[in-house]
Amino acid sequence: MTKFYYKVLNLPENCSDIDIKKQYKKLSLEWHPDKNPDNPVRANEMFNIISEAYQVLGNKNRRYKYD
């Protein structure tokens, strides 16, 4: 079963640190509230979830504990 943060970033669990960083940048730009003026509430929620996922998976120690 895929863990939540990997699913949020749409990545497999065996992805590289570079893949995580690239996907985070892509999704954070896509869901940034300033880029989604039609639905700022949903954009803010998604942006926060994506940021939280990156905070865990983007840090080697936190990712190890999460896995």
Side-chain angles (χ1 to χ4, degrees):
M1 182 174 161
T2 305
K3 295 187 179 182
F4 178 73
Y5 289 145
Y6 290 103
K7 191 172 183 178
V8 166
L9 296 179
N10 196 26
L11 291 168
E13 291 184 33
N14 62 347
C15 62
S16 70
D17 293 339
I18 294 169
D19 292 335
I20 293 169
K21 188 173 186 175
K22 284 182 185 179
Q23 189 68 353
Y24 165 71
K25 285 183 178 184
K26 177 185 167 194
L27 291 173
S28 65
L29 286 174
E30 180 181 334
W31 285 101
H32 195 280
D34 291 344
K35 300 234 182 202
N36 292 283
D38 296 336
N39 196 352
V41 174
R42 175 76 173 140
N44 192 43
E45 289 173 358
M46 287 301 297
F47 186 77
N48 288 337
I49 292 169
I50 292 163
S51 296
E52 182 181 332
Y54 182 70
Q55 287 177 1
V56 173
L57 299 180
N59 179 297
K60 289 183 182 188
N61 291 332
R62 289 182 184 168
R63 183 178 179 189
Y64 177 75
K65 288 178 184 177
Y66 180 73
D67 288 339

